Amino acid sequence: MYLQIMEQIKQKVRAGDWPAGHPLPSIRELSVATKVSVITVKRAYTELETEGVIVTQAGRGSFVADVMDVQKTLIEAELEKYIAGLIGAGRTLGLSDNRIIELVKNALVAD
């Protein structure tokens, strides 16, 4: 469940809905809104802070990290997942890495 909370927050940051400095709901507020335990939400926030997506200030709450590249980093991480899937699918289909690269280049040129 905490992974779903993390992904939802990351999606808001990636989409630009929550820019740097944007305050996150308190752990208790999000716990009530999502109907999950405070411990689960706390774990999501702790993981997001470890990843550098958010910062927590004692007594003030949690905010989207004020790092210029946090949105770009999240976008690239998402794309890397798709690329890994593409490579895996190509290899499963018996294509060589060179052929996969060639097909990707062709698709980029065609766009």
Side-chain angles (χ1 to χ4, degrees), residues 3-78:
L3 292 172
Q4 290 177 353
I5 293 169
M6 288 177 63
E7 188 53 39
Q8 290 171 359
I9 292 170
K10 287 179 181 181
Q11 179 57 38
K12 289 183 181 294
V13 174
R14 271 193 303 269
D17 295 338
W18 287 4
H22 186 290
L24 275 68
S26 73
I27 291 172
R28 282 192 172 81
E29 289 171 341
L30 192 55
S31 172
V32 169
T34 57
K35 298 179 181 168
V36 297
S37 74
V38 169
I39 294 168
T40 300
V41 176
K42 172 91 172 113
R43 181 169 181 192
Y45 277 29
T46 300
E47 293 287 329
L48 288 167
E49 190 164 21
T50 299
E51 291 180 12
V53 176
I54 67 170
V55 292
T56 301
Q57 299 171 354
R60 294 198 60 225
S62 299
F63 304 85
V64 175
D66 202 15
V67 178
M68 296 289 289
D69 293 330
V70 73
Q71 185 178 20
K72 180 182 173 191
T73 300
L74 289 174
I75 290 169
E76 288 179 359
E78 184 73 12

